[in-house]
Amino acid sequence: MKNMKKLLVIIFVFSIQFINAQTQDLVRARHFFNKTYYSESIILYEKLAEEKPSQEVIRNLADSYYYTNNLIKAQRYYRLLIQNYNTDLDREYYFKYAQTLKATGNVEEANAALKEYYTRSTNTEDALNFEKDLKTLENVSAIGKRFEIKNLALNTPNSEFGAVKYRDNLVFAGVKLKPGMFDKKFKWDNETYLNLVSTPLKNINSNDSISHYFSKELKTGMHESNAVFTKDGKTIYFTRNNSKNGKKKRNNDKISNLQIFRAELVEGKWTNITSLPFNSENYSVEHPALSADEKILYFASDMPGTIGSFDIYAVNINKGAFDKPRNLGPNVNTNKREQFPFASADNKLYFSSDGHLGYGSLDVFVSEIKDSEYSRAINIGLPLNSNLDDFAFNIDSETKEGYFASNREGGKGSDDIYQFKEIKDLIVEDCKQFIAGTITDVDTQLALENATVLLQDSDNKTLNTITTAADGKFSFTVPCEASYKVSAFKEKYTNESKTLTLDKTRDKINDGSLALKSLETIKLEEKESAEKKRKQELILEEENKKKEELAVVELKQKEKKQKEAEIVAAEVKKNEKVKQILEQEKDVVRDKDRLIIKTDPIYFDYNMWYIRKESKVVLGRVVALMNKYPGMVIEIGSHTDSRGNAKFNEDLSQKRANSTREFIIQSGINAKRVTAKGYGESVPIVKCKTDEACSEEEHELNRRSEFVIKNL
């Protein structure tokens, strides 16, 4: 039990120490982050993100990677931040996340993040302007390759940027390739401080080119970069940390902001190094650029009154003195970052921005300068702008050649200097296509002159009308990604139309040809058609008549066959019944082709036809047989001998047959089942040539009554 208590105490002590260590790490990380020592803050925030993640930890870790240009890792933590802490998250993080997505080529995701960023804005027009900017950027992309670019041989794995020509040299900002043990490092990204260096222009594309410090007088233990020279080469403006007498100065927040300095070349040495009067220890002033007439100095600053983090400013120079700097306004500046201005000889202001919509983080934009006004900035296009940072642009307006810096993939290091040549003008046009064709006669296929061609949109609003010439041709220029209706009209012709849905392929020609039909031709065709129809109807009537006749014949044949089959079936059935009755009834016998009921003789008094008593007994057997077989139908045949008058014999036999029939009917047999026939002497069994030729027995044979079965 004591050991258990001791173990719990040890665990508690270690837990307290662990929590205290985490708290100390968070305090130290926050301290480094606030001082922009991002390389140090990353180490601590990475550890905290594993052990005790929070919104602050993930947010600051993402920002630390973002500000040191490790955008892949920054993207990972911005994604975590948005997924887990998006409820009360500042919308700026969607913007930063979008920048990292662009850097990794995820353009659609980046645009989705930007849309979320602008949708969360308090200004409802921001989302609409974003959609317009997307369209503009698409139009810039449609121009295609505007520049030929080349990575200079002088680049190293460290940063080089801000290249400008100075006499026979290229002057730029760079970092020593192999810093020594005691060289100061810029804690933002762990590179040593920037210095102005130079290389002979003839060597910038040589693999063995060597860069030297531009001027010992200008070199300090601080950042120096972004130089610009007057045309006579005797004055330089450059960017340096706030300093005095070569020593860095910090403000109350322990920050040494950037300032623009000016120096003069006197007897081969740069002297009179002075800080410009609008510099301040409380904000940065950087990236100087001169107008072609050297009367205006452009720069970037985050001074009070800026629209975003850094804006482009201009200040007039009057005999070496400076007026009050002025912000160039919303056509140039955004609520984000605008830096690295450059004014060309043809009155264009170039600068880099991540606030205007671009392909990456910093893109180069251009604004036309006219009467001291600056037009809405436009992205200068591909491939100079990339998915990462592109900046420090300058161009010779006559040769269309210049330099810029970029940290794009395929370079030699962090930021590289590229040489370029502009090969296409920046003509920004909305996507357009053509709807063209020919109006023809559908039958003759000849072109129709003076046909009216009407173009309408999807709402049936008329956009344009053309009357065709002798060649029947027409053409409309229309925006892409829309539906249009083309209709054609001509006097004494039919009207025709078609609907075309256009895609986003630029300058595509869509066939809107239509063929009209002459009304006169229609009349002729209708007449011919009616005649043809009547002929076809007559033919059809004749065919139907033949079919009906054939059907009647076929029906009769069918009925005949059916009757024949029924007769055969009835005969078969009858034969079966005959066979059955012959087998079962001894009184039924076959007489040649007849079936008769064999009975004792039926006697009548001489010359009389009344049934005698003894004959009723015989007839009773016939009635019994017919009752046994309800379907049986008989014929009573009465015969006489040949003696006497033939007519008398016939009448007498008929009366006797009738009398016999009446007896059977009265005995309960249906009258329809019994027929009576008097044959007289016409059907003798024994033929007597004369009455005397036959014996009495033979005459007796001839005097008989027969019951012939007609049906069963």
Side-chain angles (χ1 to χ4, degrees):
M1 191 67 178
K2 290 182 179 180
N3 289 336
M4 179 60 72
K5 289 182 178 179
K6 185 176 182 181
L7 180 60
L8 290 173
V9 170
I10 293 172
I11 292 173
F12 177 75
V13 170
F14 272 103
S15 298
I16 294 297
Q17 290 176 342
F18 180 72
I19 293 170
N20 288 336
Q22 283 186 332
T23 303
Q24 291 175 3
D25 285 345
L26 182 59
V27 171
R28 290 177 61 220
R30 192 180 294 151
H31 171 74
F32 286 134
F33 182 82
N34 291 336
K35 290 180 70 67
T36 70
Y37 294 172
Y38 299 121
S39 298
E40 282 84 352
S41 68
I42 285 172
I43 298 171
L44 294 170
Y45 279 132
E46 279 280 12
K47 182 180 177 183
L48 289 166
E50 290 290 329
E51 295 172 353
K52 191 178 181 181
S54 66
Q55 181 176 2
E56 179 190 352
V57 169
I58 301 300
R59 183 184 66 233
N60 289 354
L61 179 56
D63 281 346
S64 297
Y65 278 124
Y66 183 81
Y67 294 132
T68 54
N69 270 329
N70 191 336
L71 299 184
I72 293 177
K73 286 192 174 182
Q75 181 183 130
R76 174 191 174 191
Y77 289 105
Y78 282 137
R79 182 180 286 112
L80 285 174
L81 187 66
I82 289 171
Q83 287 175 346
N84 297 301
Y85 307 101
N86 66 345
T87 304
D88 59 345
L89 189 64
D90 192 300
R91 74 187 189 102
E92 291 299 320
Y93 290 97
Y94 286 92
F95 180 85
K96 293 176 183 177
Y97 181 45
Q99 301 300 81
T100 67
L101 288 166
K102 287 182 183 179
T104 54
N106 298 317
V107 178
E108 289 187 7
E109 286 186 65
N111 288 338
L114 283 174
K115 186 173 183 179
E116 182 69 21
Y117 166 75
Y118 287 111
T119 301
R120 289 182 175 223
S121 171
T122 55
N123 185 352
T124 56
E125 292 186 0
D126 282 352
L128 295 175
N129 290 333
F130 169 65
E131 295 297 333
K132 292 178 182 178
D133 290 341
L134 273 177
K135 191 74 173 179
T136 300
L137 190 63
E138 182 181 319
N139 292 337
V140 172
S141 301
I143 301 172
K145 182 180 179 181
R146 289 196 64 235
F147 303 91
E148 291 177 346
I149 63 175
K150 181 179 182 180
N151 188 294
L152 295 184
L154 57 80
N155 290 309
T156 71
N158 292 332
S159 293
E160 292 83 26
F161 64 93
V164 293
K165 289 182 180 180
Y166 178 66
R167 296 177 176 170
D168 295 329
N169 294 297
L170 190 71
V171 178
F172 57 94
V175 175
K176 283 184 68 175
L177 185 60
K178 294 181 179 179
M181 182 183 298
F182 299 106
D183 286 332
K184 290 185 177 180
K185 288 186 178 182
F186 183 39
K187 293 188 178 182
W188 181 299
D189 55 11
N190 267 343
E191 284 194 348
T192 57
Y193 281 71
L194 294 163
N195 293 111
L196 292 175
V197 295
S198 68
T199 297
L201 284 169
K202 63 181 180 180
N203 295 334
I204 61 174
N205 286 309
S206 299
N207 290 325
D208 58 351
S209 62
I210 299 175
S211 299
H212 300 279
Y213 289 119
F214 172 67
S215 168
K216 292 182 180 179
E217 300 85 33
L218 300 180
K219 182 182 181 300
T220 66
M222 296 168 288
H223 285 300
E224 280 96 25
S225 66
N226 297 95
V228 61
F229 299 89
T230 55
K231 292 176 182 177
D232 62 10
K234 294 181 180 180
T235 302
I236 182 176
Y237 294 89
F238 64 97
T239 304
R240 173 190 283 172
N241 290 100
N242 177 20
S243 62
K244 188 174 183 179
N245 298 324
K247 292 184 178 180
K248 184 184 292 187
K249 293 181 63 180
R250 291 183 171 86
N251 59 18
N252 293 334
D253 295 325
K254 306 299 182 181
I255 296 174
S256 177
N257 283 304
L258 296 176
Q259 297 183 344
I260 295 177
F261 288 78
R262 179 172 63 182
E264 297 174 346
L265 186 65
V266 179
E267 296 180 357
K269 292 186 177 181
W270 292 101
T271 59
N272 299 326
I273 303 171
T274 57
S275 173
L276 298 190
F278 46 83
N279 287 327
S280 170
E281 65 178 16
N282 294 318
Y283 54 80
S284 287
V285 178
E286 60 188 23
H287 309 155
L290 286 168
S291 62
D293 60 8
E294 300 182 355
K295 292 181 180 180
I296 299 175
L297 179 72
Y298 295 95
F299 61 90
S301 176
D302 61 347
M303 65 175 60
T306 57
I307 298 173
S309 62
F310 274 86
D311 283 1
I312 305 298
Y313 285 81
V315 59
N316 293 334
I317 305 174
N318 294 312
K319 297 179 181 180
F322 296 91
D323 291 345
K324 183 180 179 180
R326 63 185 184 276
N327 189 298
L328 296 190
N331 279 347
V332 171
N333 296 313
T334 68
N335 63 350
K336 290 295 177 289
R337 180 170 49 136
E338 281 72 43
Q339 295 173 298
F340 303 98
F342 170 77
S344 65
D346 57 350
N347 292 318
K348 293 177 182 177
L349 177 68
Y350 294 88
F351 61 94
S352 289
S353 169
D354 63 3
H356 294 287
L357 187 62
Y359 301 100
S361 296
L362 284 175
D363 271 19
V364 180
F365 292 81
V366 62
S367 174
E368 300 278 350
I369 307 171
K370 187 175 182 180
D371 299 329
S372 298
E373 296 292 329
Y374 298 84
S375 67
R376 176 74 176 171
I378 298 175
N379 193 297
I380 66 170
L382 303 167
L384 192 143
N385 285 324
S386 69
N387 63 333
L388 293 174
D389 289 326
D390 306 289
F391 58 99
F393 174 98
N394 64 77
I395 186 172
D396 186 316
S397 299
E398 292 184 1
T399 65
K400 300 293 183 181
E401 295 177 344
Y403 302 91
F404 75 101
S406 177
N407 62 348
R408 69 186 59 200
E409 292 183 12
K412 296 180 182 177
S414 176
D415 298 314
D416 282 359
I417 297 171
Y418 289 79
Q419 189 176 29
F420 72 85
K421 182 176 180 64
E422 186 179 46
I423 57 175
K424 280 186 182 179
D425 292 334
L426 182 60
I427 300 174
V428 181
E429 296 177 322
D430 286 337
C431 177
K432 69 178 185 301
Q433 292 188 17
F434 305 97
I435 297 176
T438 306
I439 307 302
T440 58
D441 185 303
V442 70
D443 297 300
T444 66
Q445 298 184 356
L446 296 175
L448 291 179
E449 186 178 6
N450 292 325
T452 300
V453 186
L454 190 68
L455 178 70
Q456 295 175 301
D457 62 16
S458 58
D459 296 323
N460 292 324
K461 179 183 177 182
T462 300
L463 305 176
N464 205 345
T465 304
I466 290 176
T467 301
T468 59
D471 60 2
K473 294 185 181 299
F474 69 92
S475 180
F476 298 110
T477 303
V478 294
C480 302
E481 297 185 275
S483 292
Y484 300 93
K485 182 181 179 181
V486 182
S487 304
F489 312 87
K490 181 174 171 60
E491 189 177 357
K492 296 182 180 181
Y493 276 84
T494 58
N495 304 330
E496 295 295 338
S497 64
K498 67 164 56 173
T499 299
L500 300 169
T501 300
L502 277 51
D503 57 20
K504 62 192 300 182
T505 306
R506 291 176 180 255
D507 300 323
K508 180 181 178 181
I509 299 174
N510 301 275
D511 184 18
S513 297
L514 293 168
L516 311 185
K517 195 170 186 68
S518 167
L519 296 179
E520 186 63 31
T521 302
I522 291 174
K523 288 181 181 179
L524 291 173
E525 289 180 350
E526 286 176 349
K527 184 178 179 182
E528 292 175 357
S529 177
E531 292 175 355
K532 184 178 180 181
K533 183 179 180 181
R534 181 55 187 158
K535 289 179 181 179
Q536 289 176 341
E537 287 175 351
L538 291 172
I539 293 171
L540 186 60
E541 287 176 5
E542 187 65 27
E543 289 177 351
N544 289 338
K545 185 177 179 181
K546 289 180 179 180
K547 287 179 180 178
E548 289 174 0
E549 291 175 351
L550 182 61
V552 170
V553 172
E554 289 177 349
L555 180 60
K556 288 181 178 179
Q557 289 177 346
K558 183 178 180 181
E559 289 175 348
K560 182 181 178 182
K561 289 180 179 179
Q562 186 174 352
K563 287 181 179 179
E564 290 175 350
E566 289 174 355
I567 291 171
V568 171
E571 190 65 27
V572 170
K573 186 175 181 182
K574 180 180 178 182
N575 290 336
E576 289 178 352
K577 285 186 177 181
V578 168
K579 182 180 178 182
Q580 182 182 4
I581 202 170
L582 287 171
E583 290 176 351
Q584 294 179 358
E585 305 298 335
K586 62 180 181 177
D587 291 335
V588 179
V589 296
R590 189 183 295 279
D591 179 32
K592 297 180 181 178
D593 58 348
R594 298 186 308 164
L595 197 66
I596 64 174
I597 300 173
K598 184 180 179 183
T599 64
D600 293 332
I602 303 297
Y603 296 105
F604 296 92
D605 291 334
Y606 180 72
N607 287 339
M608 297 301 290
W609 54 87
Y610 299 109
I611 302 297
R612 291 169 60 174
K613 185 177 180 181
E614 62 269 21
S615 296
K616 292 181 180 179
V617 176
V618 175
L619 291 176
R621 289 168 53 200
V622 174
V623 171
L625 192 62
M626 291 186 74
N627 283 328
K628 185 176 182 180
Y629 296 96
M632 181 181 290
V633 177
I634 66 171
E635 179 190 87
I636 302 169
S638 182
H639 301 267
T640 65
D641 58 26
S642 60
R643 293 177 293 185
N645 182 276
K647 179 71 172 72
F648 175 83
N649 286 334
E650 183 178 347
D651 290 341
L652 180 62
S653 64
Q654 185 63 51
K655 289 177 181 178
R656 288 178 173 174
N658 290 341
S659 179
T660 304
R661 178 175 180 270
E662 286 300 321
F663 178 83
I664 293 175
I665 292 171
Q666 289 175 3
S667 298
I669 302 301
N670 192 305
K672 293 181 180 180
R673 297 175 60 194
V674 185
T675 59
K677 176 69 174 173
Y679 291 94
E681 57 185 69
S682 61
V683 188
I685 294 175
V686 179
K687 292 183 179 181
C688 301
K689 291 181 180 181
T690 64
D691 291 342
E692 291 79 12
C694 290
S695 65
E696 188 60 36
E697 289 80 4
E698 289 174 329
H699 284 299
E700 189 175 345
L701 283 174
N702 286 335
R703 292 194 310 272
R704 66 192 186 279
S705 287
E706 294 180 333
F707 301 93
V708 180
I709 299 174
K710 293 294 187 179
N711 201 347
L712 288 174

